[in-house]
Amino acid sequence: QWYQRRVDITAGNRPIVDRCITALQKTWHPDCFVCVHCQEPFTRSGTEYHVFEGKPYCKRDYYEMFAPKCGGCNKAIVNNVITALKRQWHVECFVCYECKNRFGAGTYYEHEGKPYCELHYHQHRGSLCAACNKPISGRVITAMRNKFHPEHFVCAFCITPLSKGTFKEHESKPYCHTCYQKLFGVSNRV
């Protein structure tokens, strides 16, 4: 009988004569306690609600409107989060932009605001060895419009390292002076 005398201030002071809901330090008719965005009563959509600036929202609307959005899929993040590249990500969305593989040991590389694995980062930056197709992170030899690990820039015939910087080129392959002269019989001094 006590609930019959309660007044719902948020519903035009209509007396509550049946069931009531007490939430947000107010008393509500069950059909008046609704999500302020979609107007769905919480009695129909379940009892879970979230509060933002003193107003009730259903779970779906609350997360859609106020939860941080994932940098990968742009959907609301409601559980575990990774913060990287000035954005937040679902754990399963923080992957290499190119191959979609997860990053081992938390190591990723940034290129133009996107996360990449080591291989694809170096591929986009043009820093893969032309001989082994692996990233170059130390010394580099640039020759024949390509980049090489020093140990991979070798004579195409005798496999001698050409790290001294002198070589001859024939059909886009490097040769030491000795092999070039043996194979092609020309000195071709520059």
Side-chain angles (χ1 to χ4, degrees):
Q1 304 277 353
W2 64 271
Y3 56 83
Q4 291 180 346
R5 288 190 290 278
R6 288 187 172 232
V7 176
D8 177 11
I9 298 170
T10 62
N13 292 326
R14 292 182 306 153
I16 298 174
V17 293
D18 199 1
R19 294 181 20 224
C20 69
I21 294 174
T22 302
L24 304 176
Q25 300 176 343
K26 296 177 184 172
T27 305
W28 309 74
H29 293 107
D31 287 341
C32 292
F33 187 54
V34 298
C35 171
V36 294
H37 184 71
C38 70
Q39 302 300 306
E40 182 72 23
F42 293 111
T43 54
R44 287 192 208 137
S45 62
T47 57
E48 187 172 348
Y49 67 93
H50 296 271
V51 179
F52 184 76
E53 295 181 349
K55 298 175 185 170
Y57 292 85
C58 66
K59 181 179 177 179
R60 182 188 67 243
D61 288 342
Y62 177 83
Y63 286 135
E64 190 59 38
M65 295 171 71
F66 306 115
K69 302 299 184 272
C70 175
C73 69
N74 205 35
K75 292 183 181 172
I77 300 172
V78 297
N79 289 320
N80 297 334
V81 63
I82 291 176
T83 302
L85 304 174
K86 299 179 184 174
R87 289 179 275 176
Q88 295 179 324
W89 308 75
H90 292 112
V91 173
E92 61 275 9
C93 292
F94 191 62
V95 295
C96 173
Y97 186 77
E98 190 79 24
C99 67
K100 308 299 182 213
N101 287 328
R102 289 189 181 188
F103 302 111
T107 302
Y108 68 92
Y109 297 81
E110 182 269 333
H111 180 66
E112 297 178 353
K114 297 174 183 136
Y116 289 94
C117 64
E118 185 178 24
L119 175 69
H120 290 111
Y121 169 79
H122 285 283
Q123 185 178 52
H124 281 280
R125 303 267 307 164
S127 53
L128 288 181
C129 175
C132 71
N133 207 33
K134 295 218 163 111
I136 302 171
S137 58
R139 286 184 43 227
V140 62
I141 293 179
T142 303
M144 304 181 317
R145 294 173 297 283
N146 287 305
K147 295 178 182 176
F148 299 87
H149 289 109
E151 62 274 15
H152 293 152
F153 188 59
V154 296
C155 173
F157 187 72
C158 71
I159 319 294
T160 300
L162 299 171
S163 57
K164 300 281 190 246
T166 58
F167 68 96
K168 299 286 185 186
E169 183 179 347
H170 183 72
E171 295 180 0
S172 299
K173 293 180 184 174
Y175 293 91
C176 65
H177 292 280
T178 305
C179 291
Y180 185 87
Q181 195 161 13
K182 282 183 197 175
L183 294 168
F184 309 110
V186 216
S187 168
N188 197 11
R189 297 192 185 255
V190 178

